[in-house]
Structures are given as C-alpha cells and as structure tokens.
Amino acid sequence: MEELLSYILSVQTLVLVLVIFLLKGSIKFVPQNQAYVIERFGKYQSTKEAGLNFILPFIDRISADRSLKEQAVDVPEQSAITKDNISLHVDGVLYFRVLDPYKATYGVDDYVFAVTQLAQTTMRSELGKMELDKTFEERDVLNTNIVASINDAAGPWGIQVLRYEIKDIVPPQSVMEAMEAQMKAERVKRAQILESEGDRQAAINRAEGEKASVVLAAEADKEEQVLRAEGEAKAIVAVASAQAEALRQVGEAAATEEGQKAIQLDLASKAIEAKRAIAKESSVVLLPDGATEPSAVVAQAMTIIQQMTKGS
C-alpha cells in the first residue's frame, strides 16, 4: 500500500513538473516595440506582438525576433563619379524601421545588409546624375531622392527608410585645391565689388551734399535779397511819407502870414549862404547894387531881416 501511494505521488509530481514545463514553454511575453515570428512544423504560423501570447510547446517555435524600433546604420565610405566625371568618396547614415516582420523575415535573408547595400548603390546612382557643385548645394535634395529610391525597392522586404544623411563628401585633392582657389577668387571679387559700391555711394553722397549745399546757399541768398528789397522798399515808403508830411506841413504853414515871413527869412538866409559859398570858391564875385565886400552883403542881409522884423 505504501508503495502504491509512493508511486502515485511520484506520478503526480512528474505530471506537475511536466505541466509547469509546458506552461512555461507555451507562455511568451513579447516586449514593447518587438515582434516574434512563430513557425509551426517549419511553416509560418503567426506574428506575436507586444504583450502576453501563447504558443504550442514542441510544435511552435520563435523563428525570428524583430525589433520595430527605428534603427541607424552606418553606410560605409564608397567612391562615386559625378555627372562631370569627378570621383568622390561619400559615406552616410541610414535610418529605417521594420514595418512588416513577416516580410523582413521571409522576404530577404538579412534586411540590414540588404538595405545598406541598396543605399550604397542608390547613392552612386543619384550622384551620377548631378554635377560636383550641385552635390554640395543640393544635399537635401540628394538625401530625399535616395530615400525615395530605397523605399521603392525595400517595400517587399517590409522595411521603411525614414532618412538618409550624407556625412562627408570628399573630392580629390586637386579638385579641392581648385575649389579653394575658386572660392578665394570669389571672395576677392566680392570684396572688390563691395569696395567699388562703397566708393560709388560715397561719391553720390558727396555730390548730393554739395548740391544740397548750393541749393541752400541760393535759397538763403534769395531770401536775403528779398528781405533787403522789402526793407529798402519800406524805407523808401517811409522817407516818401515823411517828405510828403513835411511838405504838407510846410504848405499849411506857408498859407499863413507868419509862414510867408518865415519863407522870406529862409530865402534871405539861403541867399547869404550862397553868396558866401561863391565868395569862397571864386576870386571874382558879382554882387548887386555895387556890393563888393562880404561885409556889405552881411549888412544887406541884416537890413532885410530888420525890415521883416519891423513889419511883423
């Protein structure tokens, strides 16, 4: 009886171990951004994505473990010939990811190697369509064309190329020296153009300054002449007005008896002054009434004044 119980216990233990072993073999935890390709009897059965999955032990097996993350692969340096027959050494970096684990497993033997080789051949082909100068100026266009060409060919492999970046483009030493000389000449040319433009602009500025100075001087002279003319005109008007007022007052005074006497006195005084001036300027003086001496002239004038005074 004890032997039977011992045998049953052993069988139960064996069954339990077998069940645990089977459960362990059938339960698969797939990590995030990964996929397991499952084969059953050597034939594709399914693709297990991230999470808890079950397979049949001893029947199903994991054929491939594919990462769905973006991957970066160095594209080795290679030589290429441009459209203008210049040999270049080019390398780059390829970014891609697996879209379909089934195609990446059964569509190609080694998709990383295949995509790398495809990138190299496509790069050589695209460089052959461009001239040397364009390879430096249109690097973005070159990268875009390479990505488009690789995606067209890598579609059956379940691969999507996201980006291709050229790291270095190295032309021959002779071409580099020629390019350096060309850039130096271009810099000298730009410097000379800038210098000539500066001289031209300076000359224009000086001419405009001189023109503005002449215009301002002419305008100032014009304004000065206008102001002087206006001042002279006002002065003439003022003098004329003063003379007119004086004549008016003289006329009003001459209309009276006292004014007539004053006029006569003024005329007598002026006559005396005239005779005196004539006497100074000439050695021969003609005087009325036989007067030949200055004293006689003075006496006559005094007589005239006294008479006018008595009459008043």
Side-chain angles (χ1 to χ4, degrees):
M1 189 67 177
E2 293 180 356
E3 294 179 356
L4 179 61
L5 291 175
S6 178
Y7 176 75
I8 293 173
L9 183 60
S10 300
V11 171
Q12 289 177 348
T13 303
L14 182 61
V15 171
L16 181 60
V17 172
L18 181 61
V19 169
I20 294 174
F21 180 77
L22 292 175
L23 288 175
K24 183 180 179 182
S26 62
I27 297 174
K28 297 297 180 182
F29 294 97
V30 181
Q32 184 67 33
N33 282 335
Q34 282 188 248
Y36 291 170
V37 178
I38 306 302
E39 290 181 353
R40 180 172 296 173
F41 300 115
K43 183 180 180 181
Y44 172 77
Q45 194 274 330
S46 62
T47 299
K48 304 299 182 180
E49 298 181 350
L52 177 61
N53 294 274
F54 297 93
I55 63 174
L56 297 178
F58 307 109
I59 297 176
D60 296 339
R61 73 180 187 90
I62 300 175
S63 173
D65 178 5
R66 298 305 180 196
S67 174
L68 304 181
K69 300 177 183 178
E70 183 176 346
Q71 303 178 50
V73 178
D74 280 326
V75 178
E77 181 178 331
Q78 61 176 335
S79 62
I81 299 177
T82 62
K83 186 177 180 180
D84 48 354
N85 296 324
I86 303 297
S87 178
L88 302 175
H89 292 278
V90 187
D91 60 354
V93 180
L94 184 66
Y95 299 87
F96 66 93
R97 64 189 181 95
V98 176
L99 290 181
D100 191 338
Y102 173 80
K103 292 181 179 179
T105 302
Y106 300 104
V108 63
D109 184 38
D110 185 350
Y111 64 86
V112 176
F113 175 77
V115 171
T116 303
Q117 294 298 313
L118 184 58
Q120 288 183 312
T121 56
T122 305
M123 183 167 55
R124 283 196 298 267
S125 176
E126 291 296 327
L127 285 174
K129 301 176 184 178
M130 304 176 68
E131 296 181 353
L132 177 62
D133 294 339
K134 297 295 183 180
T135 59
F136 296 99
E137 297 174 2
E138 301 180 1
R139 184 173 294 191
D140 292 338
V141 177
L142 181 61
N143 293 339
T144 302
N145 293 339
I146 292 175
V147 170
S149 299
I150 295 176
N151 279 329
D152 290 341
W157 303 339
I159 305 299
Q160 181 187 18
V161 177
L162 304 176
R163 295 186 308 280
Y164 181 83
E165 299 292 339
I166 295 177
K167 293 195 295 185
D168 293 315
I169 299 178
V170 182
Q173 185 65 29
S174 58
V175 175
M176 292 182 65
E177 293 175 355
M179 292 173 62
E180 184 177 356
Q182 181 181 0
M183 289 190 299
K184 182 178 179 181
E186 193 68 25
R187 286 194 295 268
V188 172
K189 175 183 176 182
R190 287 198 297 266
Q192 292 176 349
I193 291 175
L194 291 175
E195 184 178 359
S196 63
E197 287 291 333
D199 293 340
R200 185 176 71 89
Q201 190 62 40
I204 292 174
N205 292 338
R206 284 195 298 270
E208 290 180 351
E210 292 175 357
K211 176 183 176 182
S213 177
V214 171
V215 171
L216 290 175
E219 291 179 353
D221 184 62
K222 175 183 176 182
E223 291 179 358
E224 182 181 1
Q225 292 178 0
V226 170
L227 293 175
R228 187 184 299 112
E230 291 178 353
E232 292 176 355
K234 290 180 180 179
I236 291 172
V237 171
V239 171
S241 297
Q243 291 177 350
E245 180 64 22
L247 291 175
R248 184 184 65 77
Q249 292 180 3
V250 170
E252 291 178 354
T256 63
E257 183 177 355
E258 289 77 4
Q260 290 293 328
K261 292 178 180 180
I263 292 173
Q264 292 174 3
L265 178 60
D266 183 63
L267 291 175
S269 299
K270 289 181 178 180
I272 293 171
E273 291 295 333
K275 290 179 180 181
R276 184 181 296 170
I278 292 172
K280 290 181 179 180
E281 296 293 334
S282 176
S283 59
V284 179
V285 179
L286 298 177
L287 294 174
D289 300 331
T292 59
E293 296 294 335
S295 58
V297 176
V298 173
Q300 291 179 2
M302 291 300 295
T303 302
I304 295 171
I305 293 172
Q306 289 177 359
Q307 291 177 356
M308 293 177 64
T309 303
K310 290 179 180 180
S312 61

